[in-house]
Amino acid sequence: MKFRNFKMVDYVVYGRGCFDQLDEILAPQRKGDAPMVYLLDHYFETNNELKARIPIRGNDILVIADVTHEPKTSYVDELAQMLKDKAGTVSGVIGIGGGSAMDLAKAVSIMMTNPGKAQDYQGWDLVKHPSVYKAGIPTLSGTGAEVSRTTVLTGPTRKLGMNSDFTPFNQIVLDPALIKDAPANQRFYTGMDCFIHCVESLKGTFINEFSRSYGEKAQDLCEEVFLHKSEWNDESDEQLMMASFAGGMSIAYSQVGVAHAVSYGLGYLLGTKHGIGNCIVFNHLEEYYPEGVATFHKMVARNNIYIPEGITKGLSDADFETMINVSLGMAPLWENALGKDWQSIMNKEKLRALYEKL
Ligand code: ZN
């Protein structure tokens, strides 16, 4: 038995208002005139209050990151090239936003020190050199991107992360006040990503006590905020932020499962975003996760959320084939969900039937 030795985030600061310590945290990381680069989720483009609190010093660069779509390898290359042309080298890349903005920051920081194109590093342990310093600051909680060892990217031929020991952030800043104003729908879809991480980790065959300890806590916190509390308050933000962190820690040492494997196919073909895509799929996974799906349905009803239906209506055979191939390509996810003999349980016909339900 060989156990995974996984790389974690170097530093974590947690607390309401801790974002204002960013200047002090970054000061020792500054290398001469080389700028700090802030990749700010375009959701905050007109939020002057937040922008004014970003510690822009000297020739620091603020980039409004277009995360209308989940990050593409071409966009990563474009941003890294722009920074090289503008500054030569940078002191660090700081991602402020949801999972996409944080993943973008990880990928760009890697491409500042690694040759070639971002697509060359989609896979496991392909990154050759340490990235420049990087920090992640979530403004939406649930994806676990703040703690993960990957950065999910859509490339010309596949949707796959740069999964490596050089991918986790050097620093994360967990300030619950920053997630306060997230739109309710968005907050729910992203929060459910966390809930689904927990169910898939806890019900998977890769589970161990390390993952279970984090997964159970994260699942409790999700149920607390989306099912049991009478109203959303400051404590809810704090709980959801820690749920995301713990959910991410849980899957770091296990794996996700059926909802993620199927949702990746939707994301690749239709551009469906991760959080809502997982909800669309999980909504129909009673066969695999009966208790989790029952709880999910209660949370959907309680929060008055619409989960889209019929999104694969009218797709061609070739389209279904594409989604099926992307999905079945995620072997570790299927193995975690269904065991070593997963191919005897899940096949193209069965998966097609599932996609047709969505
Ligand atoms: Zn996820």
Side-chain angles (χ1 to χ4, degrees):
M1 180 86 185
K2 188 156 192 262
F3 298 98
R4 275 184 55 203
N5 182 15
F6 71 85
K7 173 77 173 69
M8 295 169 66
V9 166
D10 298 337
Y11 287 89
V12 182
V13 58
Y14 168 83
R16 183 166 293 276
C18 71
F19 181 70
D20 292 326
Q21 280 172 234
L22 187 59
D23 197 14
E24 183 187 317
I25 288 169
L26 297 182
Q29 307 299 337
R30 293 180 176 277
K31 295 185 169 60
D33 286 342
M36 278 294 171
V37 178
Y38 301 95
L39 294 184
L40 178 66
D41 196 314
H42 74 259
Y43 178 76
F44 296 103
E45 188 168 6
T46 55
N47 185 329
N48 292 325
E49 192 256 322
L50 179 65
K51 276 160 103 179
R53 290 169 64 205
I54 298 175
I56 296 180
R57 304 278 170 257
N59 46 9
D60 285 358
I61 300 169
L62 176 65
V63 178
I64 302 297
D66 182 357
V67 289
T68 316
H69 305 287
E70 289 183 352
K72 292 189 169 63
T73 54
S74 55
Y75 189 41
V76 172
D77 292 331
E78 185 190 313
L79 287 175
Q81 193 56 52
M82 182 271 282
L83 295 173
K84 285 176 192 165
D85 291 347
K86 209 166 178 173
T89 174
V90 305
S91 287
V93 179
I94 319 301
I96 307 170
S100 292
M102 286 189 281
D103 273 0
L104 199 57
K106 289 191 219 178
V108 170
S109 73
I110 287 170
M111 293 315 296
M112 294 307 290
T113 53
N114 284 273
K117 292 181 158 190
Q119 68 188 69
D120 305 336
Y121 302 104
Q122 283 182 283
W124 277 266
D125 301 304
L126 302 173
V127 179
K128 294 183 182 74
H129 308 293
S131 73
V132 297
Y133 175 86
K134 55 184 170 316
I137 306 176
T139 61
L140 197 60
S141 281
T143 64
E146 62 276 25
V147 291
S148 82
R149 185 190 187 267
T150 193
T151 161
V152 180
L153 301 173
T154 304
T157 58
R158 58 204 154 167
K159 182 172 178 184
L160 189 62
M162 291 175 171
N163 201 313
S164 86
D165 278 355
F166 300 123
T167 308
F169 283 118
N170 299 104
Q171 171 82 54
I172 56 174
V173 176
L174 303 180
D175 181 346
L178 295 181
I179 67 170
K180 190 180 168 51
D181 299 321
N185 267 320
Q186 190 65 59
R187 177 168 71 199
F188 184 84
Y189 297 138
T190 311
M192 285 304 105
D193 186 25
C194 176
F195 178 75
I196 295 167
H197 290 160
C198 297
V199 173
E200 293 187 325
S201 171
L202 292 168
K203 297 295 174 194
T205 61
F206 295 178
I207 191 71
N208 59 22
E209 197 52 45
F210 184 102
S211 290
R212 185 178 293 116
S213 310
Y214 284 108
E216 285 179 347
K217 184 64 192 176
Q219 186 169 346
D220 285 352
L221 289 169
C222 287
E223 291 179 18
E224 174 70 17
V225 298
F226 290 113
L227 202 53
H228 302 310
K229 284 184 98 129
S230 56
E231 60 171 7
W232 199 274
N233 56 22
D234 282 356
E235 189 191 49
S236 315
D237 292 324
E238 292 156 12
Q239 289 171 319
L240 186 58
M241 182 159 260
M242 288 320 298
S244 177
F245 178 89
M249 290 297 290
S250 180
I251 49 172
Y253 219 134
S254 59
Q255 189 46 279
V256 286
V258 180
H260 277 75
V262 177
S263 164
Y264 273 115
L266 294 178
Y268 185 81
L269 184 79
L270 304 172
T272 316
K273 287 197 155 195
H274 187 76
I276 193 169
N278 283 348
C279 287
I280 291 168
V281 179
F282 199 68
N283 205 19
H284 294 278
L285 294 185
E286 301 85 355
E287 186 183 339
Y288 305 95
Y289 305 112
E291 292 161 18
V293 174
T295 307
F296 172 77
H297 287 155
K298 280 187 211 154
M299 291 193 280
V300 170
R302 162 114 204 210
N303 292 275
N304 243 326
I305 302 289
Y306 170 67
I307 305 294
E309 300 259 6
I311 67 161
T312 61
K313 265 208 187 86
L315 292 181
S316 69
D317 285 346
D319 288 338
F320 279 106
E321 188 69 16
T322 300
M323 292 192 292
I324 289 166
N325 288 334
V326 169
S327 181
L328 292 180
M330 317 292 294
L333 282 64
W334 290 109
E335 187 185 332
N336 177 46
L338 306 175
K340 281 213 180 323
D341 295 331
W342 65 269
Q343 277 157 318
S344 66
I345 304 170
M346 181 48 75
N347 53 40
K348 286 193 168 189
E349 295 68 46
K350 191 153 185 202
L351 190 49
R352 165 103 188 216
L354 176 54
Y355 272 120
E356 282 178 358
K357 270 200 239 171
L358 307 178

